[in-house]
Amino acid sequence: MNLWQAWTFEGHTFAIAPAAAGACPAGLVAVRRFYNNPTTGTAMNHRYVASGAVANAMRAKGRIDAGIVMCAQP
């Protein structure tokens, strides 16, 4: 039984450099992923942020910090 039936692959929507060992090369901006850890699959979502202030706000709301997952152009 699939507990997360609402989760579907949405396709590739953009291309961006992956982080290497949780870090970005010089000249790129780190993008962090946050997960809401829902009690139901229909409430599941992620947030991607490049701002330290927004990252702190996500942590304060109880979101799970998955770390730096990609690197963006400034």
Side-chain angles (χ1 to χ4, degrees):
M1 180 176 156
N2 182 355
L3 297 177
W4 305 108
Q5 294 177 5
W7 189 262
T8 57
F9 178 66
E10 297 170 347
H12 298 284
T13 57
F14 60 90
I16 195 166
C24 293
L28 295 180
V29 175
V31 178
R32 302 184 82 85
R33 179 176 57 214
F34 287 86
Y35 179 62
N36 68 331
N37 197 26
T39 56
T40 66
T42 56
M44 182 183 319
N45 65 57
H46 290 88
R47 297 283 189 257
Y48 295 89
V49 303
S51 161
V54 175
N56 288 337
M58 292 289 101
R59 286 186 204 96
K61 290 183 178 194
R63 292 207 174 240
I64 298 169
D65 186 349
I68 298 169
V69 296
M70 57 186 111
C71 307
Q73 295 288 329

